[in-house]
Amino acid sequence: HVQLVESGGGSVQAGGSLTLSCTASGFAPITYLMGWFRQAPGKEREGIAIVDTDGVTTYYADNLGGRFTISRDNAKTTLDPQMNSLQSEDTALYYCAAGRLGKSSIERLGVQNLAPFLSVWGPGTQVTVS
């Protein structure tokens, strides 16, 4: 049974930083890519970053301004984004997700648009920036 569990959300002041964590279980890391997504009230779910099954190849959404970095540990099956210089527009419910997509699909669709194509989702963790 594939399962993802997020943690690390909370409230932070504008300009601050936050690190989230996602722990996966029930599948071998090399068989699924993993990523983080977010959904603000009234908006569609958008992709933030994807890390491929090798644990190294990383794709970021274009609209982050270099403020987010993400690391994946295949040995621990974790995926942790470090979010810096947070702004009010970063307030959202943040989700960890996993799925199977090829490199060509990721590059053609763009990280921000991958939500409909990933099959496994965690329950989400709230991030509020004030």
Side-chain angles (χ1 to χ4, degrees):
H1 176 64
V2 179
Q3 189 174 13
L4 302 172
V5 178
E6 306 96 339
S7 62
S11 297
V12 62
Q13 291 187 337
S17 298
L18 204 61
T19 299
L20 305 180
S21 184
C22 172
T23 301
S25 61
F27 65 91
I30 62 171
T31 60
Y32 281 79
L33 59 82
M34 293 176 65
W36 277 88
F37 293 73
R38 67 184 181 183
Q39 188 166 18
K43 295 189 176 181
E44 293 187 355
R45 192 170 299 186
E46 64 172 359
I48 298 170
I50 294 287
V51 181
D52 214 334
T53 55
D54 62 6
V56 176
T57 305
T58 305
Y59 307 86
Y60 289 98
D62 294 333
N63 62 341
L64 299 178
R67 298 182 296 119
F68 291 11
T69 58
I70 198 165
S71 61
R72 177 173 178 174
D73 185 333
N74 273 0
K76 298 179 181 179
T77 62
T78 59
L79 183 68
D80 300 339
Q82 168 74 39
M83 308 184 297
N84 300 313
S85 303
L86 288 165
Q87 303 301 319
S88 57
E89 53 265 33
D90 295 314
T91 294
L93 192 57
Y94 283 70
Y95 297 91
C96 181
R100 291 172 169 154
L101 283 174
K103 177 182 178 180
S104 60
S105 296
I106 296 170
E107 294 178 344
R108 175 174 54 85
L109 295 167
V111 172
Q112 287 177 263
N113 305 313
L114 294 181
F117 304 96
L118 298 191
S119 56
V120 185
W121 292 85
T125 186
Q126 178 67 39
V127 172
T128 303
V129 184
S130 60

